[in-house]
Amino acid sequence: MDSHFDPQAIERPLYAEWEARGWFAPADAAAPYCIAIPPPNVTGRLHSGHGFQQTLMDALIRYHRMSGRGALWQMGTDHAAIATQMLVERQLATEGKRPEDIGRDAFVARVWEWYERHGGEISEQLRRMGSSVDWGRDRFTMDEGFQAAVREVFVRLFDDGLIYKKKRLVNWDPVLGTAVSDLEVESEEEDGHLWHIRYPLLDGARTAAGADFVVVATTRPETLLGDTGVAVHPDDERYQHLIGAQARLPLVGRTLPIVADAHVDPEFGTGCLKITPAHDFNDYEVGQRHGLAVLNVFHADATINDDAPEAYRGLDRFAARKAVVADLEELGLLESVEPHRHAIPRGDRSNAVLEPWLTDQWWVDIAPLAAPAIAAVEDGRIRFVPKQFENVYFAWMRDVRDWCISRQQWSGHRIPAWYDPEGRAHVGRDEAEARRRAGLDPEVPLTQDPDVLDTWFSSALWTFATLGWPERTPDLARFHPTDVLVTGYDIIFFWVARMIMMTLRFMDEVPFRTVYIHGLVRDADGVKMSKTRGNGLDPLDIVDGIGLPELVAKRVADLPQRQMAEHIEATTRRDYPDGISAYGADALRFTYCALASPGRDVNFDLSRVEGYRNFCNKLWNATKFVLMNLGETGPSDAPARLGLPDRWIRSRARQMLEAVTRAVDTYRFDLYANAVYEFAWHEYCDWYLELTKPVLWDEGTNPAGARGARRTLLEVLDILLRAAHPIMPYITETLWREQAAAAGGAGESVMLAPFPQPGDLDDDPEADAAIEWLKAVVVGVRTMRSELGVPPRTTVPLLLQGGGEVDRLRLDATETLLRRLAGVETIDWLEAGTDAPPASVHVVGDLTVLVPLKGLIDVEQERARLSKEVDKSGRDLNRVRGKLANEKFVTRAPEQIVAAERGKEADLAGKLAALRAQLERLEAL
RNA sequence: GGGUGUUUAGCUCAGUUGGGAGAGCGACGGCCCUACAAGCCGUAGGUCGCAGGUUCAAGCCCUGCAACACCCACCA
């Protein structure tokens, strides 16, 4: 074996082998366990969030596969309709073309080309992370089966009256030229203005203050062109006499009725509200209540249409705003302008300011779907981990509004509706069915609805459509409901909620029993990773490494804003002066697991990866140590005897496995990783390997003991590697095969080996206590040596004082080990009544451990150290005595707590006495 | 406006039923000792956000406050 762990050398060949041998497919005749992957965009690239999420899923899948389940990790990708539309449009733009220049069919062909050209990238990246997805069952949300599923769902929902077409206000993206759903609106506070505009009153009406106009306030003066009313609060004394009066709309001249509506807040602005039903959601409601006209003044691209005065026609909305304001000012109708901070709705894809716009769209009537979906979580058929996300889910679901599912784009699932010459819509699984259902003659021409469906409509069918629905496939019967969904809180509404609704509707069962919600990956400073900030880390750059020039080039490529490039380059050069090393997939995966604390975002820090890469190296070298110490014959059937260290490490391994299984059961990937790390490094390596050395190197006097140590070294290493495999598959596979070969055991792969169980090993309290005693003495001696400046290779004499029978027995059992680990030359007991020589002292329970100074030591320094120890012990003792002096404590606290405190008191008193005695001795020198 | 989360060592974070504050990284000192310098040994560092309360006992339970982050709703 090489002296260093080199992930580059082992990872790719292993993955290729696993895949080629079909080991990712679920075992037959085993209890099923299934996770459906949240489908990455087919043309996307792997980012940190993916890496994180897939690591957690792969850990679960590998764990359950090893635990004997028929584990299926269902693979698939998403067609990402809007994202792809934008990419292909951008590609066309470089050729100087617009989509309409080439037509729908050619455009759709381009989209498919795009899928085919880029579709493989994400799969390769998943492989590089070690993800054990079942490639044989790979699906795509636009594949034939999915198209059938989508049409089936659409038709059935339509037939049940849960899909309908209706003209109403929607969130309109004027840049993309499509409606979007409520969820795709991102509102951010931005600095704007509040314009106060005078609307002249008609027929001699006056305000209470005597003015012949009312003043309305608006943040969007251009919408004035579509005003059809003015509203005041019904109880507003200032305006009550104007209710029913009329005002004249400036610039347009239209007559506006003044209506009373409780929606108006008398405290805001002047208490007068202009009503633009076609361009504001609240105004629309007000308009409906009062029968106001709905006058649309925008084209689809938010330029002013022909229903506005000629002067503004064709102007972009922002140009129109300027013109309107200027004209109002000219006319003396602009009373004032004040700065005003308010929320601006923007499209999550285009970042364009959205407009409420009146259009015909397809909708899902959501309430009948939401009710059973709420119930499924309420009654525990689905549970969220962490639990608090159930409240997030409930809050949204209980107030959810109808879902706008049609998009005015070309990329995506086309809506299965056809129009006859009279414009009536006929829904069907295909045109023939639509015609048949409508009883239309073959010669009646039909045209299909031009719109496509919201991408999330097909995603909502993910768990069951991937398994074959609407066919009743064996996979569907076996693996649905899936066991757990692993996803981020950012798509609970987009995806999780909709999957639950659709699955309950069409499968009559839940899509998954558990929803594990993980945090989002941020950079080391807690800032969200994003392309524009240039602070993102590509997981594969951490796995395979990347040079600084390449990293800089990658981060500044395709930046929306050129001026950011300079800044990003500077920070990149500062943060990664040498680029990024190839840490390997195992180290990265271990990091993701270790950082996966529930309900928290992950602040991703490369230094953690480095630490866990070092951990990989530690495992590597530990295995090397074990293999090189197997001796000539390796393990044999000759009698073996387990020594205390062997019994201890087995007992500790059992406790590690208890922690691990508990952690996996509760989705505590962080505790899982920590338990493995702690055991492997600080127990197996730091102590156990060291404890075996005296035994192995003194084989002649104790061959059975050496055999016991060898056997234990191998067995515990085997357990450790199996326990760690779900987190770090590559290195564990490599080392496990070495180990298995040396042990002469069977088994081709650690990923097919059984996951170790606590019951495989025995608890051994006696060995635990003995080795803990030994460790305490060794650490005590080491501390004294270090503080006294004794060179590592110099052995020291050791004196033991006090202590009981147990201490003597333990010394007898571990003396050889103690000598080696503490660098001790001689060990002598001081008889009772004998004065101790001047010495450095350390107390372990009743036992006092002394390293005589013999004049070659800095007495002053030791005195200072002892004083500190005396002070600390004195403080501890005082605290314990204070507690015990408290009558309430003694009478009310549980007996065992009180007894423990009394024990502590005795220990501390003894320790203090021993320390003081030694301190006095030193001071007498 | 409503809601959720966070606040523990210089940094990033654990702390599972309330019973003597932990890890990793970083810092400091000493070591190339026959698995590992990607290592070994040791040391320092915290009034657990603030103020109350419950309790014999609070990092943990309750109340209030503050700061930060996020979600939902949007008074134009």
PDB file of all heavy atoms in Angstrom, chain A residues 265 268 282 600 603 613 879 892, chain B residues 13-14 20 38 40 56 75-76:
ATOM      1  N   ASP A 265     -57.452  51.905   3.328  1.00  0.00           N
ATOM      2  CA  ASP A 265     -56.946  52.237   4.653  1.00  0.00           C
ATOM      3  C   ASP A 265     -56.940  53.755   4.803  1.00  0.00           C
ATOM      4  O   ASP A 265     -56.168  54.444   4.138  1.00  0.00           O
ATOM      5  CB  ASP A 265     -55.525  51.684   4.796  1.00  0.00           C
ATOM      6  CG  ASP A 265     -54.899  52.065   6.130  1.00  0.00           C
ATOM      7  OD1 ASP A 265     -55.603  52.682   6.955  1.00  0.00           O
ATOM      8  OD2 ASP A 265     -53.722  51.753   6.334  1.00  0.00           O
ATOM      9  N   PHE A 268     -53.585  55.544   5.363  1.00  0.00           N
ATOM     10  CA  PHE A 268     -52.492  55.591   4.389  1.00  0.00           C
ATOM     11  C   PHE A 268     -52.709  56.717   3.397  1.00  0.00           C
ATOM     12  O   PHE A 268     -53.808  56.894   2.861  1.00  0.00           O
ATOM     13  CB  PHE A 268     -52.393  54.264   3.641  1.00  0.00           C
ATOM     14  CG  PHE A 268     -51.172  54.172   2.769  1.00  0.00           C
ATOM     15  CD1 PHE A 268     -49.981  53.660   3.261  1.00  0.00           C
ATOM     16  CD2 PHE A 268     -51.208  54.646   1.467  1.00  0.00           C
ATOM     17  CE1 PHE A 268     -48.848  53.597   2.454  1.00  0.00           C
ATOM     18  CE2 PHE A 268     -50.075  54.602   0.668  1.00  0.00           C
ATOM     19  CZ  PHE A 268     -48.896  54.082   1.157  1.00  0.00           C
ATOM     20  N   ASN A 282     -55.610  43.850  -5.692  1.00  0.00           N
ATOM     21  CA  ASN A 282     -56.606  44.382  -4.765  1.00  0.00           C
ATOM     22  C   ASN A 282     -57.657  45.206  -5.506  1.00  0.00           C
ATOM     23  O   ASN A 282     -58.845  45.131  -5.215  1.00  0.00           O
ATOM     24  CB  ASN A 282     -55.935  45.241  -3.698  1.00  0.00           C
ATOM     25  CG  ASN A 282     -55.178  44.377  -2.700  1.00  0.00           C
ATOM     26  OD1 ASN A 282     -55.704  43.386  -2.212  1.00  0.00           O
ATOM     27  ND2 ASN A 282     -53.924  44.735  -2.453  1.00  0.00           N
ATOM     28  N   ARG A 600     -30.524  23.524   9.977  1.00  0.00           N
ATOM     29  CA  ARG A 600     -29.515  24.573   9.827  1.00  0.00           C
ATOM     30  C   ARG A 600     -28.998  24.597   8.406  1.00  0.00           C
ATOM     31  O   ARG A 600     -28.816  23.559   7.796  1.00  0.00           O
ATOM     32  CB  ARG A 600     -28.310  24.276  10.725  1.00  0.00           C
ATOM     33  CG  ARG A 600     -28.460  24.715  12.135  1.00  0.00           C
ATOM     34  CD  ARG A 600     -27.119  24.574  12.818  1.00  0.00           C
ATOM     35  NE  ARG A 600     -26.431  25.838  12.837  1.00  0.00           N
ATOM     36  CZ  ARG A 600     -26.301  26.572  13.942  1.00  0.00           C
ATOM     37  NH1 ARG A 600     -26.781  26.166  15.072  1.00  0.00           N
ATOM     38  NH2 ARG A 600     -25.654  27.715  13.900  1.00  0.00           N
ATOM     39  N   ASN A 603     -22.717  26.115   6.396  1.00  0.00           N
ATOM     40  CA  ASN A 603     -21.665  27.046   5.991  1.00  0.00           C
ATOM     41  C   ASN A 603     -20.454  26.215   5.585  1.00  0.00           C
ATOM     42  O   ASN A 603     -19.758  25.667   6.421  1.00  0.00           O
ATOM     43  CB  ASN A 603     -21.312  28.002   7.125  1.00  0.00           C
ATOM     44  CG  ASN A 603     -22.451  28.956   7.424  1.00  0.00           C
ATOM     45  OD1 ASN A 603     -23.391  29.065   6.648  1.00  0.00           O
ATOM     46  ND2 ASN A 603     -22.365  29.635   8.527  1.00  0.00           N
ATOM     47  N   ARG A 613     -10.248  14.928   4.735  1.00  0.00           N
ATOM     48  CA  ARG A 613      -9.314  14.244   3.846  1.00  0.00           C
ATOM     49  C   ARG A 613      -8.212  13.612   4.706  1.00  0.00           C
ATOM     50  O   ARG A 613      -7.796  12.469   4.488  1.00  0.00           O
ATOM     51  CB  ARG A 613      -8.727  15.248   2.836  1.00  0.00           C
ATOM     52  CG  ARG A 613      -7.885  14.630   1.732  1.00  0.00           C
ATOM     53  CD  ARG A 613      -6.433  14.457   2.137  1.00  0.00           C
ATOM     54  NE  ARG A 613      -5.889  15.590   2.849  1.00  0.00           N
ATOM     55  CZ  ARG A 613      -5.195  16.575   2.288  1.00  0.00           C
ATOM     56  NH1 ARG A 613      -4.957  16.547   1.013  1.00  0.00           N
ATOM     57  NH2 ARG A 613      -4.719  17.553   3.020  1.00  0.00           N
ATOM     58  N   ARG A 879     -17.253  23.913  45.670  1.00  0.00           N
ATOM     59  CA  ARG A 879     -18.551  23.910  45.027  1.00  0.00           C
ATOM     60  C   ARG A 879     -19.357  22.669  45.454  1.00  0.00           C
ATOM     61  O   ARG A 879     -20.521  22.748  45.797  1.00  0.00           O
ATOM     62  CB  ARG A 879     -18.401  23.936  43.505  1.00  0.00           C
ATOM     63  CG  ARG A 879     -19.702  24.338  42.810  1.00  0.00           C
ATOM     64  CD  ARG A 879     -19.562  24.382  41.306  1.00  0.00           C
ATOM     65  NE  ARG A 879     -19.023  23.135  40.784  1.00  0.00           N
ATOM     66  CZ  ARG A 879     -17.965  23.059  39.991  1.00  0.00           C
ATOM     67  NH1 ARG A 879     -17.329  24.156  39.639  1.00  0.00           N
ATOM     68  NH2 ARG A 879     -17.547  21.901  39.551  1.00  0.00           N
ATOM     69  N   ARG A 892     -33.939  16.773  48.606  1.00  0.00           N
ATOM     70  CA  ARG A 892     -34.824  16.716  47.433  1.00  0.00           C
ATOM     71  C   ARG A 892     -34.203  16.081  46.189  1.00  0.00           C
ATOM     72  O   ARG A 892     -34.927  15.562  45.346  1.00  0.00           O
ATOM     73  CB  ARG A 892     -35.289  18.132  47.073  1.00  0.00           C
ATOM     74  CG  ARG A 892     -36.135  18.713  48.194  1.00  0.00           C
ATOM     75  CD  ARG A 892     -36.910  19.893  47.724  1.00  0.00           C
ATOM     76  NE  ARG A 892     -37.432  20.640  48.861  1.00  0.00           N
ATOM     77  CZ  ARG A 892     -38.131  21.756  48.758  1.00  0.00           C
ATOM     78  NH1 ARG A 892     -38.347  22.277  47.572  1.00  0.00           N
ATOM     79  NH2 ARG A 892     -38.581  22.373  49.826  1.00  0.00           N
TER      80      ARG A 892
ATOM     81  P     C B  13     -21.993  27.956  11.259  1.00  0.00           P
ATOM     82  OP1   C B  13     -22.991  28.023  10.185  1.00  0.00           O
ATOM     83  OP2   C B  13     -22.058  28.879  12.404  1.00  0.00           O
ATOM     84  O5'   C B  13     -21.965  26.463  11.790  1.00  0.00           O
ATOM     85  C5'   C B  13     -22.643  26.101  12.959  1.00  0.00           C
ATOM     86  C4'   C B  13     -22.120  24.774  13.419  1.00  0.00           C
ATOM     87  O4'   C B  13     -20.791  24.948  13.976  1.00  0.00           O
ATOM     88  C3'   C B  13     -22.888  24.112  14.540  1.00  0.00           C
ATOM     89  O3'   C B  13     -24.010  23.424  14.005  1.00  0.00           O
ATOM     90  C2'   C B  13     -21.869  23.173  15.146  1.00  0.00           C
ATOM     91  O2'   C B  13     -21.722  22.016  14.373  1.00  0.00           O
ATOM     92  C1'   C B  13     -20.594  24.015  15.030  1.00  0.00           C
ATOM     93  N1    C B  13     -20.293  24.769  16.257  1.00  0.00           N
ATOM     94  C2    C B  13     -19.767  24.060  17.360  1.00  0.00           C
ATOM     95  O2    C B  13     -19.598  22.843  17.242  1.00  0.00           O
ATOM     96  N3    C B  13     -19.477  24.726  18.501  1.00  0.00           N
ATOM     97  C4    C B  13     -19.688  26.043  18.564  1.00  0.00           C
ATOM     98  N4    C B  13     -19.379  26.649  19.699  1.00  0.00           N
ATOM     99  C5    C B  13     -20.218  26.775  17.468  1.00  0.00           C
ATOM    100  C6    C B  13     -20.508  26.112  16.340  1.00  0.00           C
ATOM    101  P     A B  14     -25.207  23.005  14.966  1.00  0.00           P
ATOM    102  OP1   A B  14     -26.349  22.669  14.107  1.00  0.00           O
ATOM    103  OP2   A B  14     -25.366  23.971  16.066  1.00  0.00           O
ATOM    104  O5'   A B  14     -24.624  21.647  15.557  1.00  0.00           O
ATOM    105  C5'   A B  14     -24.678  21.412  16.923  1.00  0.00           C
ATOM    106  C4'   A B  14     -24.040  20.092  17.224  1.00  0.00           C
ATOM    107  O4'   A B  14     -22.626  20.335  17.507  1.00  0.00           O
ATOM    108  C3'   A B  14     -24.583  19.431  18.470  1.00  0.00           C
ATOM    109  O3'   A B  14     -25.715  18.641  18.169  1.00  0.00           O
ATOM    110  C2'   A B  14     -23.387  18.613  18.943  1.00  0.00           C
ATOM    111  O2'   A B  14     -23.220  17.446  18.153  1.00  0.00           O
ATOM    112  C1'   A B  14     -22.246  19.582  18.638  1.00  0.00           C
ATOM    113  N9    A B  14     -22.023  20.527  19.748  1.00  0.00           N
ATOM    114  C8    A B  14     -22.159  21.891  19.742  1.00  0.00           C
ATOM    115  N7    A B  14     -21.887  22.466  20.881  1.00  0.00           N
ATOM    116  C5    A B  14     -21.551  21.408  21.706  1.00  0.00           C
ATOM    117  C6    A B  14     -21.160  21.349  23.055  1.00  0.00           C
ATOM    118  N6    A B  14     -21.032  22.416  23.820  1.00  0.00           N
ATOM    119  N1    A B  14     -20.898  20.125  23.577  1.00  0.00           N
ATOM    120  C2    A B  14     -21.030  19.053  22.788  1.00  0.00           C
ATOM    121  N3    A B  14     -21.392  18.976  21.509  1.00  0.00           N
ATOM    122  C4    A B  14     -21.636  20.207  21.018  1.00  0.00           C
ATOM    123  P     G B  20     -23.601  17.847  36.495  1.00  0.00           P
ATOM    124  OP1   G B  20     -22.880  17.191  37.596  1.00  0.00           O
ATOM    125  OP2   G B  20     -24.103  19.258  36.641  1.00  0.00           O
ATOM    126  O5'   G B  20     -22.685  17.820  35.186  1.00  0.00           O
ATOM    127  C5'   G B  20     -22.041  19.023  34.754  1.00  0.00           C
ATOM    128  C4'   G B  20     -21.197  19.582  35.867  1.00  0.00           C
ATOM    129  O4'   G B  20     -20.828  18.471  36.714  1.00  0.00           O
ATOM    130  C3'   G B  20     -19.861  20.173  35.446  1.00  0.00           C
ATOM    131  O3'   G B  20     -20.004  21.567  35.323  1.00  0.00           O
ATOM    132  C2'   G B  20     -18.929  19.889  36.590  1.00  0.00           C
ATOM    133  O2'   G B  20     -18.912  20.932  37.544  1.00  0.00           O
ATOM    134  C1'   G B  20     -19.565  18.670  37.252  1.00  0.00           C
ATOM    135  N9    G B  20     -18.825  17.421  37.061  1.00  0.00           N
ATOM    136  C8    G B  20     -18.923  16.505  36.055  1.00  0.00           C
ATOM    137  N7    G B  20     -18.138  15.480  36.221  1.00  0.00           N
ATOM    138  C5    G B  20     -17.483  15.733  37.404  1.00  0.00           C
ATOM    139  C6    G B  20     -16.504  14.991  38.099  1.00  0.00           C
ATOM    140  O6    G B  20     -16.019  13.912  37.801  1.00  0.00           O
ATOM    141  N1    G B  20     -16.109  15.647  39.249  1.00  0.00           N
ATOM    142  C2    G B  20     -16.582  16.843  39.688  1.00  0.00           C
ATOM    143  N2    G B  20     -16.059  17.312  40.828  1.00  0.00           N
ATOM    144  N3    G B  20     -17.503  17.547  39.067  1.00  0.00           N
ATOM    145  C4    G B  20     -17.897  16.931  37.943  1.00  0.00           C
ATOM    146  P     A B  38       2.158  16.749   5.737  1.00  0.00           P
ATOM    147  OP1   A B  38       2.672  15.741   4.835  1.00  0.00           O
ATOM    148  OP2   A B  38       2.189  18.159   5.361  1.00  0.00           O
ATOM    149  O5'   A B  38       0.629  16.371   6.131  1.00  0.00           O
ATOM    150  C5'   A B  38      -0.279  17.387   6.668  1.00  0.00           C
ATOM    151  C4'   A B  38      -1.559  16.674   7.020  1.00  0.00           C
ATOM    152  O4'   A B  38      -2.235  16.372   5.789  1.00  0.00           O
ATOM    153  C3'   A B  38      -1.271  15.353   7.736  1.00  0.00           C
ATOM    154  O3'   A B  38      -1.646  15.199   9.070  1.00  0.00           O
ATOM    155  C2'   A B  38      -1.526  14.240   6.663  1.00  0.00           C
ATOM    156  O2'   A B  38      -2.127  13.142   7.205  1.00  0.00           O
ATOM    157  C1'   A B  38      -2.324  14.961   5.593  1.00  0.00           C
ATOM    158  N9    A B  38      -1.848  14.626   4.264  1.00  0.00           N
ATOM    159  C8    A B  38      -0.619  14.836   3.687  1.00  0.00           C
ATOM    160  N7    A B  38      -0.527  14.439   2.456  1.00  0.00           N
ATOM    161  C5    A B  38      -1.799  13.928   2.186  1.00  0.00           C
ATOM    162  C6    A B  38      -2.342  13.336   1.042  1.00  0.00           C
ATOM    163  N6    A B  38      -1.668  13.179  -0.076  1.00  0.00           N
ATOM    164  N1    A B  38      -3.635  12.931   1.111  1.00  0.00           N
ATOM    165  C2    A B  38      -4.312  13.098   2.252  1.00  0.00           C
ATOM    166  N3    A B  38      -3.884  13.645   3.397  1.00  0.00           N
ATOM    167  C4    A B  38      -2.612  14.040   3.301  1.00  0.00           C
ATOM    168  P     C B  40      -2.364  12.191  14.847  1.00  0.00           P
ATOM    169  OP1   C B  40      -3.394  11.203  15.227  1.00  0.00           O
ATOM    170  OP2   C B  40      -2.706  13.625  14.798  1.00  0.00           O
ATOM    171  O5'   C B  40      -1.122  12.036  15.810  1.00  0.00           O
ATOM    172  C5'   C B  40      -0.589  10.752  16.074  1.00  0.00           C
ATOM    173  C4'   C B  40       0.550  10.872  17.046  1.00  0.00           C
ATOM    174  O4'   C B  40       1.622  11.643  16.436  1.00  0.00           O
ATOM    175  C3'   C B  40       0.234  11.657  18.314  1.00  0.00           C
ATOM    176  O3'   C B  40      -0.455  10.867  19.270  1.00  0.00           O
ATOM    177  C2'   C B  40       1.628  12.061  18.775  1.00  0.00           C
ATOM    178  O2'   C B  40       2.305  10.961  19.337  1.00  0.00           O
ATOM    179  C1'   C B  40       2.281  12.402  17.431  1.00  0.00           C
ATOM    180  N1    C B  40       2.147  13.830  17.113  1.00  0.00           N
ATOM    181  C2    C B  40       3.028  14.718  17.733  1.00  0.00           C
ATOM    182  O2    C B  40       3.865  14.264  18.528  1.00  0.00           O
ATOM    183  N3    C B  40       2.942  16.034  17.456  1.00  0.00           N
ATOM    184  C4    C B  40       2.022  16.475  16.613  1.00  0.00           C
ATOM    185  N4    C B  40       1.975  17.787  16.375  1.00  0.00           N
ATOM    186  C5    C B  40       1.092  15.597  15.966  1.00  0.00           C
ATOM    187  C6    C B  40       1.195  14.292  16.246  1.00  0.00           C
ATOM    188  P     C B  56     -37.346  23.093  45.016  1.00  0.00           P
ATOM    189  OP1   C B  56     -37.809  21.967  45.820  1.00  0.00           O
ATOM    190  OP2   C B  56     -37.827  24.467  45.264  1.00  0.00           O
ATOM    191  O5'   C B  56     -35.750  23.111  45.060  1.00  0.00           O
ATOM    192  C5'   C B  56     -35.083  23.698  46.172  1.00  0.00           C
ATOM    193  C4'   C B  56     -33.623  23.329  46.120  1.00  0.00           C
ATOM    194  O4'   C B  56     -33.479  21.897  46.259  1.00  0.00           O
ATOM    195  C3'   C B  56     -32.946  23.633  44.789  1.00  0.00           C
ATOM    196  O3'   C B  56     -32.524  24.975  44.715  1.00  0.00           O
ATOM    197  C2'   C B  56     -31.771  22.667  44.806  1.00  0.00           C
ATOM    198  O2'   C B  56     -30.711  23.135  45.627  1.00  0.00           O
ATOM    199  C1'   C B  56     -32.397  21.440  45.475  1.00  0.00           C
ATOM    200  N1    C B  56     -32.910  20.456  44.491  1.00  0.00           N
ATOM    201  C2    C B  56     -31.990  19.700  43.762  1.00  0.00           C
ATOM    202  O2    C B  56     -30.788  19.881  43.956  1.00  0.00           O
ATOM    203  N3    C B  56     -32.448  18.791  42.874  1.00  0.00           N
ATOM    204  C4    C B  56     -33.763  18.625  42.710  1.00  0.00           C
ATOM    205  N4    C B  56     -34.158  17.733  41.826  1.00  0.00           N
ATOM    206  C5    C B  56     -34.704  19.401  43.433  1.00  0.00           C
ATOM    207  C6    C B  56     -34.250  20.291  44.313  1.00  0.00           C
ATOM    208  P     C B  75     -52.126  45.051   0.434  1.00  0.00           P
ATOM    209  OP1   C B  75     -52.107  44.799   1.862  1.00  0.00           O
ATOM    210  OP2   C B  75     -53.297  44.746  -0.366  1.00  0.00           O
ATOM    211  O5'   C B  75     -51.644  46.521   0.090  1.00  0.00           O
ATOM    212  C5'   C B  75     -52.443  47.587   0.307  1.00  0.00           C
ATOM    213  C4'   C B  75     -51.678  48.765   0.779  1.00  0.00           C
ATOM    214  O4'   C B  75     -52.112  48.999   2.139  1.00  0.00           O
ATOM    215  C3'   C B  75     -50.168  48.693   0.937  1.00  0.00           C
ATOM    216  O3'   C B  75     -49.549  48.868  -0.330  1.00  0.00           O
ATOM    217  C2'   C B  75     -49.913  49.857   1.882  1.00  0.00           C
ATOM    218  O2'   C B  75     -49.817  51.059   1.176  1.00  0.00           O
ATOM    219  C1'   C B  75     -51.198  49.898   2.726  1.00  0.00           C
ATOM    220  N1    C B  75     -50.986  49.511   4.115  1.00  0.00           N
ATOM    221  C2    C B  75     -51.292  50.465   5.073  1.00  0.00           C
ATOM    222  O2    C B  75     -51.734  51.551   4.708  1.00  0.00           O
ATOM    223  N3    C B  75     -51.104  50.168   6.394  1.00  0.00           N
ATOM    224  C4    C B  75     -50.619  48.990   6.722  1.00  0.00           C
ATOM    225  N4    C B  75     -50.460  48.756   8.023  1.00  0.00           N
ATOM    226  C5    C B  75     -50.295  47.989   5.753  1.00  0.00           C
ATOM    227  C6    C B  75     -50.499  48.295   4.471  1.00  0.00           C
ATOM    228  P     A B  76     -47.894  49.244  -0.498  1.00  0.00           P
ATOM    229  OP1   A B  76     -47.069  48.130  -0.929  1.00  0.00           O
ATOM    230  OP2   A B  76     -47.565  49.937   0.764  1.00  0.00           O
ATOM    231  O5'   A B  76     -47.899  50.297  -1.687  1.00  0.00           O
ATOM    232  C5'   A B  76     -48.951  51.232  -1.705  1.00  0.00           C
ATOM    233  C4'   A B  76     -49.872  50.859  -2.816  1.00  0.00           C
ATOM    234  O4'   A B  76     -51.190  50.855  -2.295  1.00  0.00           O
ATOM    235  C3'   A B  76     -49.782  51.887  -3.937  1.00  0.00           C
ATOM    236  O3'   A B  76     -49.587  51.159  -5.142  1.00  0.00           O
ATOM    237  C2'   A B  76     -51.087  52.636  -3.892  1.00  0.00           C
ATOM    238  O2'   A B  76     -51.702  52.561  -5.136  1.00  0.00           O
ATOM    239  C1'   A B  76     -51.959  51.893  -2.886  1.00  0.00           C
ATOM    240  N9    A B  76     -52.448  52.779  -1.837  1.00  0.00           N
ATOM    241  C8    A B  76     -51.989  54.012  -1.494  1.00  0.00           C
ATOM    242  N7    A B  76     -52.667  54.577  -0.516  1.00  0.00           N
ATOM    243  C5    A B  76     -53.623  53.644  -0.198  1.00  0.00           C
ATOM    244  C6    A B  76     -54.655  53.623   0.760  1.00  0.00           C
ATOM    245  N6    A B  76     -54.890  54.631   1.593  1.00  0.00           N
ATOM    246  N1    A B  76     -55.438  52.550   0.838  1.00  0.00           N
ATOM    247  C2    A B  76     -55.201  51.528  -0.006  1.00  0.00           C
ATOM    248  N3    A B  76     -54.258  51.418  -0.949  1.00  0.00           N
ATOM    249  C4    A B  76     -53.502  52.532  -0.989  1.00  0.00           C
TER     250        A B  76
END
